Every structure is written in C-alpha cells, then in structure tokens.
Amino acid sequence: MRYKNNYEQELKDIVKQKNLTYHIDTMGCQLNENDTLKYKGILESIGFKEESMENANLVLFNTCCIRENAENTLFGRLGALKKKKKTMKNVYIVVVGCMTQQKHILEKMKKSYPYTDIIFGTFSMFSLPEKLYNLLKNNKKSYEYVEDSMDILEDVPIKFDDKYKASVSIIYGCNNFCTYCIVPYVRGRERSREPEDILNDIKKLAQNGYKEIMLLGQNVNSYGNDFKDKKYTFAMLLEDIEKIDGIEIIRFISPHPKDFKDDVIKVIGKSKKIARQIHLPLQSGNDNVLSKMNRKYTKKDFLELVDKLKNADSSISFSTDIIVGFPGETEEEFLDTLDVVEKVKFDQIYMFIYSKRNGTVAATMEDKVSYEEKVERLERLKNLYEGYLPENNKNMIGKIYKVLVEGKSKNNDNLYTGRTSQNKVVVFEGAEDMVGKIKNIKITSEHLWYLKGEIV
Ligand code: SAH
Ligand code: SF4
Ligand code: F3S
C-alpha cells in the first residue's frame, strides 16, 4: 500500500491558518522510534512545526506495552495534559502505537481519558491525515480499533533526526509467540518489505550523506520467509546493501538465535561493512525456561552460535536481552543464565524483570518467585556484568578501530565522540570537519561506559 494524503491542501490551509505545532512523545523500542520519524514526516508534510511538549498544540503519544511500567508511564503523562487542554487554545491529543492496539486499553481510554482526540493502534498510520482533517475541520474525534492487517505502508514521508545514521524497517510483525511477549498480539504477523523498496530507500539515504544504516525488525532473520513469488533471504539483502556506495556501517536488530543461519554468518564474515557487534537476545540460559518461553533453542545451541560468529570474526562483540524471574524460574535455572553471561561476556545487556502481560501464555503460568527475589537476581546479574566489563574494555586498548564521528562531547568542547563498529562509545580530540566521517582511532584507556582514544 502506497501512502497518499487525500486531504493535503485542505489540511495545509488549516494548519497554516491556526499556526499549529506538534510534539511526539515516543515510548518503547527502535521500531516505535522509526514509526515516530514517519509520524513526524506526515505532520511536517502538512505544515506542523515541531515544538516542546509544553507549548505544542498537538501532542502525539507513540506508546509501548512490552512491560507494565511502559503502560503506567503513558497514563501518568496523559493525566498531566488534561490541564493543558483547559488552559491553552487548540490543544489536540493523539495516542497511537502498541498499547492502544489492545482493545481493552482503547476502551479504558475512551472512558477514563475522554479528552483524547484520536486513538488508534499500529495498523492505521496511513489514516492519520483523514482523522486530523475530521478533527481540525469538523471537530470530530476518532477512536479506531483495527484487529489485524497484512498491509505494508510505503512512500511515507520520513523525517530523520540524525544526519549520518538512519534506521530502515525491513520486516514488520512477529510470528514467534514467545510466551512472555505481547508483541505478536499488537504488531501482527510477519510481513517483509519488497527488496527494491528497501534498497531504494537506502540508496537515497546514501546519496544524502548517510553512512550508517540500522535494519529493523522484531526478527530480522526471518526476512523474506513470507515471499511466495521468489527466494530472497536476509543474507541476500545484506549482500545487496553491502554494494551500495556511501554506506559504510550496517547494523541490524533483532535477530532471533533460532533463525541465525550459516548463510548470514558467512556474509558477516566476509563483509567490510556489517558492524562487529551482534545483538543476540538470550532471555534465559536454562533449557527448561527457554522451552517454557517457546524460544526454540537450548543453552548449547546459543553458545555454539556465539562460537560460530566468533570464528567468522574474532572481533565481534555481543549484546543481549535477559529476562529474570520468568514464572517459576528456580535459583538453579537462574544460575544457568549467569553461566552463559560469564562465558559470552556480553558487552551490553538489557536486563528486565519479567512483567506479566495479559493475553500471553506465560500470564497463565504459576509464579512462585517473589518480587524481592527477582530484584535480587537482577542485581546479581548486574554485578556480574559490571565486574567483567572493564576487562572487555581493557582488551581493546592499543587496538585501532573504525569510528563514525558523531559530534562534540557533551562535557568538553575539544573532545568529540563516536562509536566503534562494536558500538562502544569513544571520546577523542577532534575537529568539526570530522563529524559524519569515519576515522581510525586507537584506544588509549577505558572508563567503564566509554573509551578514550586518539586519531591515527
Ligand atoms: N523481538 C526482539 C525483542 C522484542 S522486545 C527479540 O526477540 O529479541 C525487547 C525485549 O523485551 C525482549 O528481548 C525481552 O527481553 C523483553 N521482554 C519482552 N516481554 C517481556 C516481559 N513480558 N517482561 C519482561 N521483559 C520482556
Ligand atoms: Fe517478542 Fe519473541 Fe517476537 Fe521478540 S521474537 S518480539 S521476544 S515474541
Ligand atoms: Fe514496545 Fe511495541 Fe516495541 S510493545 S517494545 S514499542 S514493538
């Protein structure tokens, strides 16, 4: 489906006449951040100007429901906006995204937050202009629930915040139904974008000076599985992106360990552009818990995959996601998770305490682990991680890394920052004309959350 705004001129006139501004508040993952760039593109294409939350006329919340606290965040912020509606003229509140893709939440919001103007979920981005038209012109609110859709929206105007790094969605939805996870219920089934659409987007970005591309999907390595008319895989996509002049760094999140096949490992091994950092979500290191989570790999499979990737290039660094306190997780089972962490020594770990999501399979499992115990496990995981991290960083001292210079350091005007291919922040003496360029930097010291280096 190609994006088309049938109300463009009328909307432009209204927005101009009322001099309207917008602000987007984004919660959740990089997929939501990518959607936000599209919402910004749509709003700016009809004349809205970006503003702070306090001063903006239209506030759009792009919501997340992955854990309970994500939902509470929204309700808190919405409450605070009620006053704004009373004290300021032309205030409009729009709520979209994963959270409002749940019917019971939409119903709750209609009842408890009647001052919201537009609510829809993850399948209705294309209809934002129509809904805005009805609101701005006819004062008509819209609360819409679309159960499911296999549509892929192309040609959406998109406003990138960064000048050198851009994210590109390659596959939407998820078919995996990990038992703890709400995503398959709010993002629909897997659907891959056409290779030409992706490659054209990236070519355009390269022409506009972008150097680094982040490919996005809930499970990037199932890319192409849904094509009926052709065989075109994630490995083939990576190879085609490699050929695009101007793009120097390629990243992707998230691959699922169960779908990480040898063809992709081979492509990574010989690639000059794919970042030497791979995000491999572990979730748990214990076979029984992994099975209850429906992850479809074992501790052994995971460790073998790490070895294969290291054999392809020993400089690859790993990041991961871990859930502690899955229903019924025993102390012994948790120790398996610590064991994998100890063995792989991930450079970055996103750690979460299990959060019960209604509608998922795990929500019906008996959970005897107390909250205090879960917090304590999280703490032990954090201590283990922070204990070995300096050693990981020390191993980088004296070596030379390719770094995309991102800009001035926040705290010191002479210093600049960038990230190595391994996604480590490096601080070094630089100059303004280096921003946006790739430099070779030798690491000189480590400081837990960043490294210091010098240009060679
Ligand atoms: N598709 C990606 C990640 C999606 S959500 C993947 O499979 O890796 C990001 C992370 O949130 C997950 O990896 C998981 O660690 C965490 N998460 C998902 N559901 C959760 C829940 N109910 N409680 C706690 N953490 C959860
Ligand atoms: Fe959720 Fe699993 Fe899909 Fe990731 S792969 S989005 S954790 S169901
Ligand atoms: Fe949240 Fe939706 Fe992402 S639930 S983590 S914003 S896919």
Side-chain angles (χ1 to χ4, degrees), residues 212-227:
E212 182 174 317
I213 295 296
M214 170 73 95
L215 306 175
L216 298 179
Q218 288 299 353
N219 184 5
V220 286
N221 42 11
S222 12
Y223 176 78
N225 286 352
D226 54 328
F227 290 145

Side-chain angles (χ1 to χ4, degrees), residues 27-33 62-67 70 97-99 122 182-183 186-187 218:
M27 294 149 226
C29 66
Q30 306 206 33
L31 292 154
N32 253 19
E33 279 171 23
N62 192 7
T63 61
C64 170
C65 54
I66 197 84
R67 285 168 290 274
C98 293
M99 188 171 159
T122 57
I182 192 84
V183 170
V186 294
R187 286 272 177 178
Q218 288 299 353

